[in-house]
Amino acid sequence: MKKKTLNRKVCVAPMLDWTDRHYRYFARLISKHAVLYTEMITTGALIHGDRDRYLQFNRQESPLALQLGGSNPEELATCAKMAEDLGYDEVNLNVGCPSDRVQNNMIGACLMGHPELVADCVSAMKNAASIPVTVKHRIGIDDQDSYEELHHFVNTVAVAGCSTFIVHARKAILQGLSPKENRDIPPLKYDVAYQLKQDFSSLELIINGGIKTIDECREHINHLDGVMVGREAYQNPWLLSHVDEALYGSKPSDMTRLQVVEAMIPYIEEEMNKGSYLGHITRHILGIFHGMPGGKKFRRYISENAHKPGATVDVLKHAINIVSSEQAKAQEHAEAIAQAKV
């Protein structure tokens, strides 16, 4: 069977507690082309835990990548094969998470100090599965932050067969900063990623870190092969509505924000019938009306009511009515102002 080619011009970053299957279904309603990534799932959770719960996804989420956390080549190979068998389009190795918990298990950014081990992991996964194996990493860790060390890391892993690197353009400070602080305090150095592309022109290099607008995406794509957007794609998900036309050159969706939210209703009803909790799904759509009339009231109503015992999809339907009413008022006001100027 011919392998599926992924166009990673725009990716939505793996984000713990955020990019679960409910968010990904919602994001796919907005963009048909952006490549979506799961939260990081450890090899231990898959091998010793409830793999069905961790790995389940809706086929509509594709193109979809599974991000793994681990450092044991054999275990990673086993999990990569699981991903392929279940229909994931890519498996990605996390070499960027800075938390103490994952460091203690030799997972995440600390692996940047062990490029040969990462190479062994990549080689094992590639031997076990035919889907693409990619690596997401930082530009350095602690005092191992020279360009020469980064170059050595990428070269070592590339020789093992990795051809796609997702570069979070910040170093990770493993001692002294929390994971949250590691997303903001170390400065972004996009030029380092640009230099990598010049030095490794045959590799696919995707940049991640601090990207918030379509114009910023375009600028990065002038230098690299693609962008990975994180928090902005979650907190302001309508950003994804511009991706298909602006960056993939395809026809944009003709769905409005309201129609996207309404399209979630049958999905939510089906998931709740299976035992899902309303608030676990609706929390992902709170930012859909970011910056729009009624957006704050929409967010507040859902936040205050979706968690209540016995809450049903009627909570979302009422929130839709609230934002629809606010938008109608705003439109009437705008028309009145325009008429007064005539």
Side-chain angles (χ1 to χ4, degrees):
M1 185 174 66
K2 185 178 180 181
K3 293 182 185 178
K4 182 174 181 179
T5 300
L6 291 183
N7 186 336
R8 300 182 187 83
K9 190 168 284 186
V10 179
C11 305
V12 176
M15 291 175 282
L16 190 62
D17 295 327
W18 285 6
T19 53
D20 66 13
R21 62 190 180 88
H22 302 311
Y23 168 77
R24 298 190 309 261
Y25 183 91
F26 171 59
R28 183 59 70 216
L29 290 174
I30 303 172
S31 169
K32 301 302 180 189
H33 293 292
V35 180
L36 305 178
Y37 284 69
T38 69
E39 305 166 88
M40 182 188 73
I41 304 172
T42 65
T43 54
L46 295 183
I47 293 172
H48 305 295
D50 186 351
R51 71 181 66 176
D52 293 335
R53 179 173 70 86
Y54 286 116
L55 292 179
Q56 67 175 309
F57 67 96
N58 190 297
R59 294 294 168 181
Q60 291 186 40
E61 295 171 37
S62 185
L64 176 64
L66 171 67
Q67 188 185 65
L68 292 174
S71 58
N72 180 298
E74 183 178 337
E75 292 178 354
L76 284 163
T78 297
C79 294
K81 188 65 170 67
M82 287 183 198
E84 179 177 45
D85 290 345
L86 285 172
Y88 282 88
D89 301 298
E90 171 192 325
V91 60
N92 175 265
L93 179 62
N94 184 315
V95 189
C97 181
S99 81
D100 291 339
R101 182 175 63 85
V102 298
Q103 285 182 60
N104 294 335
N105 290 291
M106 199 62 171
I107 297 172
C110 62
L111 287 172
M112 288 207 69
H114 305 275
E116 289 77 13
L117 175 57
V118 176
D120 289 343
C121 292
V122 166
S123 180
M125 288 190 283
K126 285 186 67 66
N127 287 334
S130 62
I131 57 176
V133 174
T134 66
V135 171
K136 184 174 187 290
H137 61 93
R138 296 285 185 130
I139 58 172
I141 53 171
D142 297 333
D143 59 353
Q144 295 175 264
D145 60 355
S146 70
Y147 183 75
E148 290 71 25
E149 287 166 307
L150 175 61
H151 187 285
H152 173 68
F153 173 84
V154 171
N155 185 65
T156 302
V157 179
V159 169
C162 182
S163 59
T164 299
F165 292 79
I166 301 166
V167 186
H168 186 163
R170 285 187 175 95
K171 66 182 284 185
I173 298 176
L174 302 182
Q175 304 297 327
L177 291 185
S178 69
K180 182 178 184 300
E181 289 169 331
N182 262 295
R183 292 194 294 267
D184 295 300
I185 292 176
L188 284 162
K189 297 183 178 180
Y190 295 135
D191 59 308
V192 174
Y194 296 171
Q195 184 63 50
L196 278 177
K197 182 61 183 176
Q198 291 181 27
D199 292 345
F200 296 97
S201 59
S202 64
L203 298 179
E204 181 181 36
L205 289 171
I206 314 299
I207 194 164
N208 170 234
I211 302 168
K212 295 184 177 182
T213 69
I214 294 296
D215 284 343
E216 289 173 5
C217 291
R218 285 195 184 100
E219 175 58 28
H220 289 305
I221 291 171
N222 286 334
H223 302 274
L224 297 154
D225 300 293
V227 297
M228 176 173 272
V229 184
R231 283 169 285 174
E232 192 68 17
Y234 188 90
Q235 295 166 344
N236 179 22
W238 198 243
L239 171 73
L240 297 175
S241 70
H242 305 290
V243 161
D244 293 356
E245 181 179 29
L247 299 170
Y248 284 92
S250 69
K251 182 181 177 182
S253 170
D254 56 4
M255 295 178 73
T256 65
R257 298 180 201 231
L258 274 170
Q259 288 170 333
V260 167
V261 176
E262 288 167 349
M264 285 294 291
I265 291 174
Y267 172 82
I268 292 172
E269 290 174 331
E270 181 179 350
E271 287 297 318
M272 290 188 71
N273 286 336
K274 296 176 184 176
S276 292
Y277 167 61
L278 178 66
H280 288 166
I281 306 175
T282 55
R283 69 190 180 97
H284 298 303
I285 69 176
L286 297 178
I288 187 64
F289 297 107
H290 176 81
M292 299 289 291
K296 290 182 179 178
K297 290 184 177 180
F298 174 85
R299 186 165 59 247
R300 184 185 308 120
Y301 185 83
I302 293 176
S303 297
E304 291 175 352
N305 293 281
H307 68 282
K308 292 180 178 178
T312 70
V313 76
D314 286 342
V315 170
L316 179 58
K317 292 177 180 178
H318 187 73
I320 290 172
N321 289 337
I322 290 173
V323 77
S324 296
S325 175
E326 290 297 313
Q327 290 186 359
K329 291 177 185 177
Q331 180 65 25
E332 290 174 5
H333 181 67
E335 290 173 355
I337 292 175
Q339 186 64 32
K341 291 181 179 178
V342 173

